[in-house]
Amino acid sequence: MPHAIDVSLEASIDAVMSVQPDVDAFCETHGLSPRASYVLTLVLEELLTNVVNHGYRDSVGGPIILRLSKEGPNVVGEIVDAGHAFDPTTLPEPDTEASLDDREIGGLGVHLSKTMTAGLTYARIGDQNVTRFILADEDPPRMEDAS
Amino acid sequence: MTTLSVAADDIEEITILMPAGRVDSSNAKAFESQVLQKIQEGRTRLVMDFAELDYISSAGLRVVLIAGKKVKAGGGVLALCGLSPTIRDVFEISGFISLFPVSETRDEAIRSAGA
């Protein structure tokens, strides 16, 4: 059976970071390229920390469900939380053309997630936020000996 | 928390910071403290050498931006080097490549920081 992840996390930064070994194992099991492994780790960190910092900001952190699976060449991820309605795709985009003086701090997490995945979607279903993404691994798998 | 290890070297007026491993949400504050400490000590010509950096997320990029702004305010320069291909893409997507002198080698970065 393909290795998949389906876990419930406490809505805290520590809990979010604690899932890293499982994500690493997932990447290894599926022979993801170093780049895809990085991007997957990054997207999860960005989206999950947004849920902790924004979605559950005003309430006691409920659980965050994280599901990851490999479907053909794609990694499919789903993050479900019961915080207040929070659509990460509507966070203001950073101005990536701004000069150093004008550049505002913040806003990069979702921008990176949107740009580096093949599809990032959000839906409010009942009282839950459901964020999904697809990550295509276009690079060769991790190799023991570089040729 | 992912352990953060940042090597720091002063070469004349230039300070080279070399974070190793990961900079992420769990340790970005520690990275920020170390970098700001150097700037507060009057070190405004900085090189961040990322050759030992395996991973950085927006939390770390935020520190780089803050450092860049502070260093500029002090009349200095923040130069970056040693970015791996994926990290370079992350910086590029974030619009950071045009904000700082970015080079392959530490020597080039040292020259940029001293300019």
Side-chain angles (χ1 to χ4, degrees), chain A residues 94 102-108, chain B residues 61-63 65-67 69:
Chain A
D102 295 338
R103 187 64 193 264
E104 284 177 12
I105 291 155
L108 278 170
Chain B
L61 285 158
R62 184 181 162 277
V63 176
L65 183 61
I66 288 170
K69 285 173 177 279

Side-chain angles (χ1 to χ4, degrees), chain B residues 36-53:
Chain B
L36 292 184
Q37 172 70 25
K38 283 290 178 186
I39 298 171
Q40 265 146 37
E41 286 168 11
R43 311 295 297 176
T44 58
R45 294 191 173 274
L46 295 185
V47 168
M48 284 189 188
D49 184 343
F50 294 137
E52 305 274 287
L53 189 66

